[in-house]
Amino acid sequence: MHAPRLLFILPVFLSILLIPYSASASETFLMPLGPVAEEQKVHFFWAMALTMVAVLPVFILVPVILFKYRRKKGHGFYAPKWETYGPLEVIMWGVPFLVIIVLSVMLWRATARLDPYKEIQGVVPPVKVQVVGLDWKWLFIYPELDIATVGELVVPVHTPVSMILTSDTVMQSFFISALAGQIYVMPGMTTKLNFIGTKTGDTRGENTQYTGNGFVDQNFAVKVVTDEDFEAWVKQVRTGGIVLSPENYNRLAQRNTKKQAYKVLGNSKMPENTLYFNLPGTDLFHEIVMRYHSGKPLSIEEQPGTRKFGRGEDDAEGAQP
Amino acid sequence: MNNLDYGWLGKLNWDSLVFSGFLERPSVSEAVASVAGSIVILATVGILFLLTWFKVWGTLWRDWLTSTDHKRIGIMYIVFAIVMLVRGLLEGMVMRAQQAAAPEGFLYADHFAQLFSTHGTIMVFFVAVPFLVGLINFAMPLQIGARDVAFPVLNQISLAVTVSSGILLMVSLVVGQFSTGGWSAYPPYTGADFSPGVGPDYWIWAIVFSGAGTTLTGINFTVTVYKCRGPGMHLFRMPLFCWTVLCASILMIFAMPPLSVAALMLGLDRYLDFHFFTNDLGGNMMNYANLFWLFGHPEVYLLVLPAYGIFSEVFSTYSAKTLYGYKSLVIATMCIAILSFTVWLHHFFTMGQSPTINIAFGIATMLIAVPTGVKVYDWMATMYRGRIRFTTPMVYAIGFLILFVIGGLSGVILANPTVDFQVHNTLFLVAHFHNVLIPGVLFGILAGYNYWFPKAFGFRLNDKWGKRSAYLWFAGFMVTFFPLYGAGLLGMPRRSFSYADLTFKPYMIVAFIGAMIVLAALISLVIQFIVSIRDRKKTQVPVGDPWDGRSLEWNSPAPVPAYNFVEIPKVTDRDAFTEAKEHGEAYKRPKVYRDIELPKNNPLGFILCVVSGILMFALVWYIWWLALISALTILVAVIAATFRKETEYIIPASQLEKDTEAWLALVEKSEAVSRDLEDSPRNVGLAKLEI
């Protein structure tokens, strides 16, 4: 009998591993910086707790049944033809059903409330950010401020952020766990993401959809800062930034990581592996989206993210043992 | 370069060989690839040599490769699945090693990407599906009292294309590179613009051909269940396994075509410059995501339903009790089969559709938890008031019960779009689906393997090593995948060959230790097999009923003769064989012996296996002349096969009489053993009544 007993002790013991052991990981919704992630976290624990109503009986009753009705030394009543019992059937169907009804109501309300497309009502108007997914970096355009960055997203605290996103390569998934969760970005199409930071602090964002060799480096620092710090940062970007001309955009959109792009476009006024740009006044985001709607086929050379588009800088690819 | 510009060898050249990579830029990553390629070549040569050495080509050809016997086809499916399982597991271990060794690591990013792509593709399409199809092939016709499946030659063809697709995947280890787009192969990443190599083409053709095989299998099984049941075997008298097979087969028929269509459309994009899923000219990858998951979600239930069926048989048999809530279980199975078609969108809650759509699909997803919960409770009630024996299949089943509900729990959590926005595409998801597929499907498969093995080969598998393996599987599974839940909650994306945040490192190291325990589990499975063969004299069960079985398949000698039953038993109730034993109807001499007609051997399956393999290879490498010739050969072979007039042979009554009398004499002189002696040499397959 020692073996079956082992069976039930092990999961309990090992479930301890489930508990994220370190709070130092700042890129998780378990350490939220805003209400969206906070609510997602609360919802997560509620869903787990409610489902436990249906799950716990299994954990408790299976060992009891096994012990009582084991063939050797078991002392349970033996009823080989017992195959149905009305009240039990009702409980079996009823309890999970009730749990699911409660969960469904919660799901309905939470999903409607946390719709990523819904603008967040704050005391101040939202900061607009246009996000472009490239291989293998994210470009953040602040259209109202005429600046753009790569590798760093800075937003003022207590100010809603209203993002519109697209991709200028394959499909990617834009993810800031501590603030908002994720949304797919697709070429020629736009998606939206709204959130607000209510705590100042640093976290990280990334791409969660595999897109090739540089995929794991496609992350960026996220900073929720005070209004004064934000002003100062905008100034810093303006003074340090280079013009995001079509030529510079094409160099940026090549198939490389932000580290490699920094070597090409960066200068000493920008933090390491971070790029600052000034916008020349064109609606770059719109142009990127409309690139795929010309009604004509795009050759490989015209498509960012293909090997041909980034010709010449592709040599180091994969050589990352 | 135009597609037609390639020469006689298509895209093939010296650089396509895996070894050239190692010679040109030696590294650990290339060495791993070269070793894998060498194993494939050496294993092939070794097997061919051994077959020749032992002069078994004749037997192999007559009894196996050309056989139309559902039991032998089933066994071939399983052998194939086990080979692929070994490869899939080893790939999983290499990936775990890489992530444990990261950020440094030893694999190139694209090598890692190939590994997760083949691992997923293999485990789903070439392990889970064929293993289950094999078990179904073996057991289902016996359980319903049929002589064979409805279409024996079609069965052979299904096996043929599945195996040739699997071989194609093996070839991809040696020649060229596999896709890096994951098992779901999302375009536009897998389109010609972004993945110009042969990788996605390997994926496409393996999926299209094996998918066709699975669709045909679904048709075959459905017709068999509807049309080939023995006398008195009403639908509601079928063992629950047959019900789950019926549901899974219906899923096969309706779920596989969207996948085949999606893969072929991707193929049209890649080969003929179509624009279904490209970035430009109105291509839209969201259509692919819809089609793929329209298949992908039912696929999960296609796998897990037959496993539920196996567990139902196991719980009932080893609790020595009729299945509790049979009708509930049937209804629950049907509910799951139908609901499985209504939830596919939960695989992309984050694609930007309106919350209303997410709510509808989220609730539909959660609803599946209801019938699944009912099943779990029904199995518990089956053990309640039983006499539970802790045999290997039962240990797997109990482990399943405990671990699977954890997977169910994380499934319900994932069904919430709000939460999914956070854990989608992270290791939490990876942990979840392994938590469902390993306890649900793999444990079911292994339980079925231990359960039916004596029926197929006439001797029992070693119980001690079987249990050891089961415990190692439990421990290995938990230590590998529970940490991934944690890492996923902390935001680690799936498919990361490396990571910058060292927070993840301890999780990955623990997961690697888990992978090593899984390796130990795999090794103990091998040991169990070897030990069982060594001890087979002591574990023979020629009478055929080693577990005091309850359904018809135990009502025949082990191994089962080609014709299954001399006289198809007449069924009067559920648990047909238990009924027969209790009423003294079992082991009765038939009143008259009649000749039996059985389908003849047919080389068509083997021919299609070889030629479709060549066709796929030619298509992958743009060798057009070869593709054309092999496509024509397939056409000719199939048409020629329809001209065979003599498709059946007769087993004469005299032969049947001789066999049966010998078996009945054996029954006479054998000792009926109590269940306490189940694992002793005295158990020759005759069960003592214990009411």
Side-chain angles (χ1 to χ4, degrees):
Chain A
M1 271 308 289
H2 66 282
R5 213 169 299 154
L6 175 82
L7 195 69
F8 306 116
I9 297 166
L10 258 178
V12 179
F13 170 70
L14 287 162
S15 300
I16 297 166
L17 291 170
L18 271 172
I19 303 164
Y21 78 104
S22 158
S24 72
S26 56
E27 55 192 276
T28 163
F29 70 116
L30 300 177
M31 307 278 287
L33 289 177
V36 176
E38 173 83 46
E39 277 197 57
Q40 286 165 330
K41 173 185 166 184
V42 172
H43 194 93
F44 170 78
F45 285 112
W46 266 110
M48 185 143 86
L50 282 171
T51 314
M52 275 294 177
V53 174
V55 168
L56 274 182
V58 179
F59 288 147
I60 296 166
L61 289 178
V62 168
V64 172
I65 292 173
L66 290 182
F67 185 77
K68 190 164 176 204
Y69 295 100
R70 68 198 195 279
R71 181 181 169 84
K72 287 174 194 160
K73 297 195 229 127
H75 300 292
F77 175 65
Y78 178 48
K81 304 272 176 193
W82 184 67
E83 58 172 350
T84 188
Y85 177 55
L88 194 57
E89 294 281 316
V90 173
I91 293 173
M92 282 175 175
W93 284 91
V95 172
F97 201 68
L98 287 177
V99 170
I100 295 305
I101 286 178
V102 176
L103 279 169
S104 299
V105 172
M106 283 181 55
L107 178 151
W108 188 315
R109 294 170 58 171
T111 307
R113 198 169 54 238
L114 296 180
D115 174 15
Y117 277 41
K118 204 162 71 182
E119 275 199 15
I120 290 172
Q121 300 302 319
V123 277
V124 284
V127 175
K128 290 211 161 74
V129 183
Q130 297 166 334
V131 182
V132 183
L134 296 167
D135 273 339
W136 292 287
K137 54 219 164 269
W138 294 100
L139 170 67
F140 302 105
I141 301 170
Y142 295 72
E144 293 154 333
L145 304 168
D146 287 331
I147 56 170
T149 62
V150 167
E152 191 177 73
L153 173 71
V154 179
V155 292
V157 72
H158 295 303
T159 310
V161 180
S162 177
M163 282 184 162
I164 183 161
L165 310 94
T166 191
S167 165
D168 206 5
T169 169
V170 296
M171 185 178 86
Q172 305 183 339
S173 188
F174 178 83
F175 186 34
I176 309 177
S177 185
L179 282 168
Q182 64 191 304
I183 194 96
Y184 283 180
V185 299
M186 289 162 281
M189 291 178 257
T190 59
T191 45
K192 289 179 187 168
L193 190 63
N194 286 280
F195 58 88
I196 181 169
T198 49
K199 271 187 231 164
T200 55
D202 292 355
T203 181
R204 243 158 48 118
E206 58 201 341
N207 166 25
T208 63
Q209 178 73 36
Y210 185 81
T211 51
N213 294 343
F215 159 70
V216 292
D217 294 318
Q218 194 177 353
N219 47 39
F220 52 95
V222 182
K223 292 176 181 156
V224 185
V225 299
T226 59
D227 287 347
E228 299 82 59
D229 289 349
F230 186 69
E231 294 293 325
W233 176 79
V234 171
K235 235 172 241 151
Q236 191 194 343
V237 174
R238 283 203 176 121
T239 48
I242 57 170
V243 176
L244 190 53
S245 58
E247 297 74 43
N248 279 343
Y249 179 77
N250 281 353
R251 289 158 84 186
L252 179 69
Q254 281 175 9
R255 208 172 131 89
N256 57 20
T257 62
K258 59 179 191 286
K259 207 187 235 170
Q260 290 158 328
Y262 184 78
K263 282 191 195 133
V264 182
L265 295 166
N267 64 36
S268 59
K269 287 182 193 159
M270 306 174 190
E272 205 183 335
N273 298 335
T274 307
L275 296 172
Y276 291 157
F277 298 103
N278 285 303
L279 289 182
T282 54
D283 192 349
L284 179 64
F285 187 80
H286 185 249
E287 281 168 23
I288 291 169
V289 175
M290 294 315 288
R291 180 203 293 280
Y292 300 100
H293 294 281
S294 65
K296 294 188 205 87
L298 287 179
S299 68
I300 299 181
E301 291 79 11
E302 292 170 293
Q303 284 199 61
T306 62
R307 285 173 172 81
K308 288 273 174 67
F309 189 85
R311 209 167 3 183
E313 304 199 25
D314 214 26
D315 302 341
E317 179 179 319
Q320 201 168 1
Chain B
M1 192 160 169
N2 194 304
N3 285 347
L4 291 172
D5 292 347
Y6 293 99
W8 287 102
L9 281 175
K11 289 180 171 179
L12 265 183
N13 58 39
W14 166 245
D15 288 334
S16 317
L17 274 182
V18 68
F19 309 106
S20 75
F22 180 69
L23 294 176
E24 274 162 31
R25 44 168 195 177
S27 67
V28 182
S29 193
E30 291 291 349
V32 171
S34 292
V35 168
S38 316
I39 291 174
V40 173
I41 294 173
L42 290 177
T44 312
V45 173
I47 290 169
L48 293 181
F49 176 76
L50 286 177
L51 290 176
T52 315
W53 182 262
F54 289 108
K55 301 198 177 88
V56 284
W57 281 107
T59 330
L60 189 69
W61 178 256
R62 276 189 310 276
D63 291 349
W64 297 94
L65 298 181
T66 59
S67 173
T68 47
D69 182 342
H70 68 97
K71 301 178 288 297
R72 288 176 187 271
I73 289 177
I75 290 165
M76 284 190 279
Y77 260 116
I78 291 171
V79 170
F80 165 72
I82 289 174
V83 172
M84 299 307 277
L85 174 71
V86 172
R87 173 171 169 198
L89 278 176
L90 292 178
E91 284 175 336
M93 280 155 206
V94 174
M95 284 191 285
R96 290 264 68 86
Q98 161 69 19
Q99 286 192 327
E104 295 80 26
F106 55 91
L107 291 183
Y108 293 144
D110 58 344
H111 190 180
F112 186 81
Q114 285 181 53
L115 282 172
F116 68 65
S117 305
T118 45
H119 174 79
T121 309
I122 284 176
M123 285 305 197
V124 173
F125 297 105
F126 298 104
V127 177
V129 171
F131 213 130
L132 284 168
V133 169
L135 289 172
I136 297 170
N137 247 317
F138 180 79
M140 182 269 284
L142 289 170
Q143 285 197 334
I144 59 170
R147 292 225 188 276
D148 205 322
V149 292
F151 310 114
V153 180
L154 191 68
N155 203 9
Q156 224 188 16
I157 294 172
S158 303
L159 171 69
V161 288
T162 308
V163 170
S164 63
S165 315
I167 292 174
L168 186 76
L169 280 188
M170 287 301 191
V171 169
S172 79
L173 277 179
V174 183
V175 196
Q177 312 239 306
F178 197 75
S179 170
T180 56
W183 83 283
S184 50
Y186 270 11
Y189 181 73
T190 50
D193 294 345
F194 296 93
S195 295
V198 294
D201 302 328
Y202 266 123
W203 183 86
I204 289 169
W205 296 116
I207 291 304
V208 168
F209 277 76
S210 69
T214 310
T215 315
L216 296 177
T217 300
I219 294 170
N220 209 343
F221 288 162
T222 310
V223 177
T224 307
V225 172
Y226 279 135
K227 290 295 194 189
C228 304
R229 278 169 287 134
M233 181 59 84
H234 304 166
L235 281 173
F236 273 89
R237 286 180 187 164
M238 291 198 304
L240 200 85
F241 179 66
C242 298
W243 269 105
T244 60
V245 169
L246 176 62
C247 291
S249 310
I250 293 171
L251 292 185
M252 285 179 199
I253 298 172
F254 289 104
M256 299 310 292
L259 173 70
S260 307
V261 167
L264 282 173
M265 285 164 84
L266 183 60
L268 286 172
D269 274 8
R270 290 182 59 85
Y271 281 81
L272 298 175
D273 207 18
F274 279 46
H275 288 82
F276 288 119
F277 310 127
T278 56
N279 286 348
D280 56 339
L281 279 185
N284 192 332
M285 65 76 52
M286 294 198 289
N287 292 334
Y288 180 90
N290 267 303
L291 280 173
F292 184 84
W293 290 112
L294 195 54
F295 141 81
H297 204 82
E299 165 80 5
V300 178
Y301 290 96
L302 183 167
L303 299 178
V304 89
L305 285 180
Y308 287 167
I310 295 168
F311 287 128
S312 302
E313 304 296 299
V314 166
F315 278 122
S316 167
T317 304
Y318 296 109
S319 304
K321 191 164 159 289
T322 192
L323 194 62
Y324 177 88
Y326 176 88
K327 282 200 174 132
S328 255
L329 281 165
V330 171
I331 293 168
T333 307
M334 279 296 183
C335 286
I336 293 175
I338 291 163
L339 283 173
S340 73
F341 279 103
T342 67
V343 300
W344 79 91
L345 194 126
H346 69 213
H347 294 273
F348 43 93
F349 277 148
T350 57
M351 208 175 247
Q353 60 276 17
S354 82
T356 323
I357 294 173
N358 280 356
I359 290 168
F361 280 88
I363 292 176
T365 306
M366 279 190 175
L367 275 179
I368 293 191
V370 177
T372 312
V374 170
K375 283 179 164 251
V376 170
Y377 300 143
D378 277 337
W379 291 319
M380 284 161 66
T382 301
M383 294 192 290
Y384 178 73
R385 295 185 172 172
R387 282 182 187 162
I388 302 163
R389 281 130 51 205
F390 294 95
T391 56
T392 305
M394 192 61 173
V395 169
Y396 274 117
I398 295 164
F400 151 78
L401 216 49
I402 296 286
L403 294 175
F404 187 75
V405 290
I406 299 174
L409 170 70
S410 58
V412 172
I413 290 171
L414 275 164
N416 290 278
T418 349
V419 181
D420 189 67
F421 277 110
Q422 283 291 351
V423 289
H424 177 66
N425 265 351
T426 67
L427 288 181
F428 188 89
L429 175 80
V430 174
H432 162 70
F433 68 70
H434 283 90
N435 198 165
V436 182
L437 289 176
I438 293 178
V441 181
L442 189 77
F443 291 0
I445 283 168
L446 292 173
Y449 160 71
N450 279 279
Y451 183 60
W452 281 308
F453 188 91
K455 194 78 233 177
F457 296 101
F459 59 96
R460 282 173 283 122
L461 284 170
N462 187 293
D463 199 47
K464 203 170 273 170
W465 277 103
K467 279 186 202 155
R468 275 176 198 159
S469 177
Y471 291 130
L472 285 169
W473 270 114
F474 300 165
F477 158 73
M478 287 186 283
V479 180
T480 310
F481 291 101
F482 285 178
L484 298 197
Y485 276 124
L489 288 176
L490 293 181
M492 181 166 170
R494 68 194 292 199
R495 298 172 176 170
S496 304
F497 89 103
S498 181
Y499 42 84
D501 189 346
L502 287 179
T503 315
F504 300 130
K505 183 104 178 166
Y507 292 86
M508 296 303 117
I509 289 172
V510 174
F512 175 69
I513 295 169
M516 289 301 102
I517 304 177
V518 170
L519 181 64
L522 179 68
I523 291 171
S524 33
L525 266 183
V526 175
I527 295 175
Q528 183 202 24
F529 187 67
I530 293 169
V531 169
S532 307
I533 289 180
R534 188 196 65 193
D535 298 343
R536 67 185 180 282
K537 291 264 153 48
K538 280 180 269 173
T539 57
Q540 297 221 322
V541 286
V543 178
D545 178 26
W547 316 123
D548 193 9
R550 311 181 70 82
S551 40
L552 285 187
E553 79 266 35
W554 306 105
N555 187 13
S556 62
V560 189
Y563 46 86
N564 292 356
F565 306 98
V566 170
E567 185 184 55
I568 306 275
K570 196 164 163 44
V571 178
T572 55
D573 205 349
R574 233 174 278 150
D575 288 335
F577 189 44
T578 300
E579 284 289 310
K581 283 188 276 192
E582 281 172 13
H583 295 108
E585 300 288 328
Y587 310 114
K588 277 274 180 70
R589 185 167 282 102
K591 288 197 189 80
V592 276
Y593 288 98
R594 289 199 183 88
D595 293 352
I596 293 177
E597 260 190 0
L598 282 180
K600 248 186 179 169
N601 279 13
N602 196 325
L604 182 63
F606 183 77
I607 294 169
L608 290 192
C609 180
V610 173
V611 184
S612 66
I614 295 171
L615 171 61
M616 285 187 272
F617 187 80
L619 286 170
V620 168
W621 289 97
Y622 289 56
I623 311 173
W624 305 122
W625 60 271
L626 188 58
L628 196 67
I629 290 174
S630 36
L632 286 175
T633 313
I634 291 176
L635 204 63
V636 171
V638 172
I639 293 172
T642 61
F643 283 91
R644 275 165 64 101
K645 285 199 182 116
E646 313 238 318
T647 56
E648 289 181 327
Y649 72 101
I650 305 274
I651 300 182
S654 57
Q655 175 73 36
L656 296 171
E657 184 167 6
K658 206 177 111 213
D659 287 2
T660 310
E661 291 302 327
W663 179 50
L664 291 174
L666 188 68
V667 172
E668 273 307 301
K669 76 169 206 270
S670 297
E671 174 202 14
V673 294
S674 92
R675 291 302 95 201
D676 296 323
L677 298 171
E678 202 166 41
D679 193 33
S680 77
R682 285 163 68 185
N683 180 5
V684 292
L686 187 61
K688 190 160 137 191
L689 275 183
E690 296 185 340
I691 296 289

